[in-house]
Amino acid sequence: LREPSKGKFRILLPVITSANEGFKGIINRFQVIGCDRWGAPLPVDEQANALRQLSNDIALDLSMFQSAYFNMLNEHGKEVDLRDEDVEEAKERARNFLQEGFGKSLDNLMSGNHFQRRDLLILAYVQVHERILQDVVDIAGGKVIACHFGPKQYPFIAESFENPRVGEPINTYLGIGTYDDELDIHHLRVVVNGDTLRANNRFGMMQYSFTPRHKGDQALEMEMLYENPLTGEVFSRKYYHNYFVR
């Protein structure tokens, strides 16, 4: 939009900026929801309350995004070469995105465990947000490039272990799951309890070995670091795998 020929489309910037700020706020909060400051799950009733709050926050954010978009269409549609029928079609698409994407996730909010529901809710939010944002930038002939980090990629224990004994060596595999193939796993590294791992194949698998030293409830702390290849900026997110040591 810095090009002189794109000057008339700069009225899109407040909508895009507002949408991105709301998005960052939701994504930065979602991972800690349902956990205490040590990463352990909260009591079930507190998890349910946290999930309802997340749902309300997401609904409010999408409502504000839609309102800003619709106001821009109503007030400046003709300035960006949109006919009245184009404006109405754009509004209808946005409404359908919300109903089909986010509405269905709310219907299934009470199925599965808390963390699965939380992640599915966030996934629905990301997909709806990007579809509407793409519609906004389409007006100027642009494209959304997904460079955000969070629910799109996550570490997981690919080869699980249950109730190991103290002093018993554990050999397992970590994987990098992804909801989007735009982000290259080779720009990712995972730090597990202080050990840095990198994916050694295109499926994002990493071998990891450790020995439990204490009995009782334990957790593997997994911090995923992703380097944006375009800017060099590094994003990080922590995850926890809980297990019990005999």
Side-chain angles (χ1 to χ4, degrees), residues 93-117:
R93 278 197 305 274
R95 293 188 191 101
N96 289 337
F97 291 158
L98 285 167
Q99 183 56 40
E100 294 174 9
F102 190 61
K104 290 181 180 178
S105 69
L106 292 179
D107 293 339
N108 299 321
L109 204 53
M110 300 313 295
S111 61
N113 67 40
H114 167 80
F115 295 102
Q116 288 173 335
R117 286 180 279 141

Side-chain angles (χ1 to χ4, degrees), residues 42-202:
L42 294 170
V44 174
D45 58 337
E46 293 185 38
Q47 290 185 20
N49 289 335
L51 190 64
R52 280 192 289 270
Q53 183 59 54
L54 175 63
S55 174
N56 291 337
D57 289 347
I58 287 176
L60 177 61
D61 179 77
L62 289 176
S63 176
M64 293 174 64
F65 183 11
Q66 178 183 267
S67 178
Y69 181 31
F70 285 10
N71 287 340
M72 185 277 296
L73 288 172
N74 290 333
E75 296 175 13
H76 304 287
K78 287 185 171 59
E79 296 175 35
V80 290
D81 305 325
L82 295 179
R83 300 168 301 173
D84 291 342
E85 51 265 42
D86 296 329
V87 168
E88 293 307 315
E89 287 177 8
K91 290 181 184 178
E92 188 61 25
R93 278 197 305 274
R95 293 188 191 101
N96 289 337
F97 291 158
L98 285 167
Q99 183 56 40
E100 294 174 9
F102 190 61
K104 290 181 180 178
S105 69
L106 292 179
D107 293 339
N108 299 321
L109 204 53
M110 300 313 295
S111 61
N113 67 40
H114 167 80
F115 295 102
Q116 288 173 335
R117 286 180 279 141
R118 177 201 65 184
D119 291 350
L120 289 172
L121 189 61
I122 285 292
L123 176 58
Y125 168 70
V126 169
Q127 291 173 333
V128 170
H129 189 279
E130 285 194 358
R131 291 179 76 181
I132 298 177
L133 189 59
Q134 182 61 61
D135 242 29
V136 175
V137 300
D138 272 344
I139 296 173
K143 175 176 171 51
V144 173
I145 299 176
C147 292
H148 56 265
F149 174 79
K152 286 200 166 188
Q153 293 186 305
Y154 51 92
F156 63 92
I157 301 297
E159 187 174 304
S160 191
F161 49 88
E162 295 183 3
N163 302 329
R165 297 180 182 275
V166 170
E168 175 186 317
I170 296 174
N171 298 307
T172 187
Y173 284 89
L174 276 71
I176 298 295
T178 180
Y179 300 123
D180 190 342
D181 59 7
E182 289 182 3
L183 300 181
D184 188 344
I185 59 173
H186 296 99
H187 295 295
L188 285 166
R189 62 186 187 275
V190 178
V191 179
V192 185
N193 289 352
D195 298 320
T196 300
L197 310 176
R198 287 187 179 274
N200 55 18
N201 59 44
R202 66 187 181 90

